[in-house]
Amino acid sequence: MKSNLTAVAAALLSATMSTSALAQEVETERHTLSLETISEGLNHPWGIAFLPSGDMLVTERSGTLNIITQEGQKTPIQGTPEVVAKSQGGLLDVNIDPDYADNGWVYISYSEKDPKGGNGNSTAVMRGKIDGDKWTQGEVIFRQAPKYESNAHFGSRLVFSPEGHLFITLGERYSRMQDAQTLDNHHGKIVRIWPDGSIPKDNPFVGNDDALDEIWSYGHRNVQGAAIHPDTGELWTIEHGPQGGDEVNIPKAGKNYGWPTITYGEDYGGGEIGIGTHKEGMEQPFYYWLPSIATAGSIFYTGDKFPKWKGDLLVTALRGQTIARLDLEEGRVLHEERMLEDATSFRIRDIEQGPEGFLYILTDADSGQLIKLSPVK
Amino acid sequence: MKSNLTAVAAALLSATMSTSALAQEVETERHTLSLETISEGLNHPWGIAFLPSGDMLVTERSGTLNIITQEGQKTPIQGTPEVVAKSQGGLLDVNIDPDYADNGWVYISYSEKDPKGGNGNSTAVMRGKIDGDKWTQGEVIFRQAPKYESNAHFGSRLVFSPEGHLFITLGERYSRMQDAQTLDNHHGKIVRIWPDGSIPKDNPFVGNDDALDEIWSYGHRNVQGAAIHPDTGELWTIEHGPQGGDEVNIPKAGKNYGWPTITYGEDYGGGEIGIGTHKEGMEQPFYYWLPSIATAGSIFYTGDKFPKWKGDLLVTALRGQTIARLDLEEGRVLHEERMLEDATSFRIRDIEQGPEGFLYILTDADSGQLIKLSPVK
């Protein structure tokens, strides 16, 4: 219903609108792209999710959830939860239920203030439904514990496994980095729950009284990107590192990814962190960037519009102002390309593949854009 | 005897010499290096090999084989074979026998003119012994077939497997690139022989009447770098690609590495080569560089002087004027660093690790240098 109404509204509007920005062409190693601004004036947009109709859900960090049509018609949704919109916090990722067509659930992650009063906050995940331009039936299905007074390192991507688990990637709140090594909290963890918030019985620490049952893996810093590998079904994550040391990981159940004990990065300003790069019992990343490009969102490309990128891991970067393309082959990186780096100058927060195989990115700025990438050749 | 005499001469000389160049410090991600010129005025030096004494054998492409001491005392060896010193051809690599201490054999690769007359040339490998400043007992143990009139793509590194085989990496002579896909010639091949030139009975094409028995792997372009992995004993090779598409390969017996049918590069000037990047029955590279850095020599670092590089693959580049450091972990590239790139401006032809763990590089120029890399921290 919503989609139909939105489509009608968009069609009416597009007949009278002028395109907001001219398409720009950018060459890359394997394809030449056309970049077209679909929507602009978005306040630090953070996450994109596609509805079956081809309309997009797009979050703005300051707290607004929008439906945006392919023609750029934007409808803010009313009644989404209050967020702590300070520094890195606010309304963050959005995703739809794997059975959305049947159940209509939409999931959002956001920095939530302590519901008991207090000055603390942490990442929460709520699911709800969208009825016209209203957020309804909202229910919090996960709260990162403990609440803590910090405006940094919230995570927090939402991805579903092929079996229907919801993975939530969480930050360590920066000044609580040592918590990433202990299991009695959700700082610097990836958690795995069912979409209703219940805990899968085969989670690795279920039955361990000293560990929280939601934890899937630990020793993370600030995981802002996540994607499910299209062939293996495994979770791949993109961890925003310290100065140097952004990482790709393939987090396995119960494993320790080392932060802040081992890292390839160094502290902002140049100090050493931890004991080095390797330690028994701690996992190595799959790949790392040094100097840091400030990684953010990520997908595996599986469409037909960019056939020479099929199977590649695309990772967006903030400071790096690039989409890093990792050409993968049999479990290794064959080659990395930094796309757009010289051709554009925007921090890129997220990337998604649309149902037709086009790509969509969000630029991170006070007045950010939603940009569509199409192949020229 | 030779070494002792050379050392005495060097000691006498160093007392009266001034250092030819001041040490320069260069920062890299993991170590700060001091670069010290040991010898200069070398005409396109190509290969380095260490003698047990710590003295080095260094080739100049124009035809001279030198012994150079750690103090920079240079002794040209008389009586080495005539070479076709045109364009990329000339005196190329040098290595010593794994049993050098017992047998004294030294191996050199070079572009040899057709001994039967004709205008053709190709890569040959000779072994001989050094007696004072004389090359003696020279015997050709391998000749690339056919001889062909070209001054490009000779290969030709010489490395020994742990079992004592000699691998010789060969180019496809540029205008004969299609030959890399057929087995009746040595163009674009890696060959494996015993040090006396005889053919190992378990070479992959022994018994195949349509293939040359020396061939180990095929479908190569111009393999100028080779190293044996210190743990697995496997041959790793560095293939100088077309415009884009320099490759690391781990050539396996009898396998086809695809050139010129598949490649990640393109022709100089931009034309397409072959059919794309993948084909059934052809191997993918382990890693590739695009744009090309123009790869040349390579080693695995195994010493103690640069502990944070232990196990890394170091690859020198000509146009790229860099040492690419590949941080390897469990069969994958974790990270690539381009070292020296911004700090120096020389084409780097070869790299070797000395017996004490210091590194030595050759710069490719009419007046090239032998430079020692030491750790500052």
Side-chain angles (χ1 to χ4, degrees), chain B residues 63-78:
Chain B
T64 306
L65 174 65
N66 302 284
I67 295 178
I68 303 181
T69 67
Q70 287 292 325
E71 294 75 24
Q73 173 68 12
K74 181 171 72 178
T75 306
I77 304 303
Q78 309 300 320

Side-chain angles (χ1 to χ4, degrees), chain A residues 29-30 264 272 277-278 284-291 308 325 327 329 331-336, chain B residues 29-30 264 272 277-278 284-291 308 325 327 329 331-336:
Chain A
E29 289 175 6
R30 320 250 10 234
Y264 287 88
E272 284 207 10
T277 57
H278 288 69
Q284 285 292 301
F286 175 77
Y287 188 77
Y288 69 89
W289 287 270
L290 196 161
K308 293 179 176 177
R325 181 177 68 87
D327 187 350
E329 187 86 24
R332 66 184 188 274
V333 174
L334 268 188
H335 176 63
E336 179 189 348
Chain B
E29 288 176 5
R30 322 248 11 234
Y264 287 88
E272 284 206 10
T277 57
H278 288 69
Q284 285 292 301
F286 175 78
Y287 187 77
Y288 67 90
W289 288 270
L290 197 163
K308 293 179 176 178
R325 181 177 67 87
D327 187 350
E329 186 86 25
R332 66 183 188 274
V333 174
L334 267 188
H335 176 62
E336 178 190 347

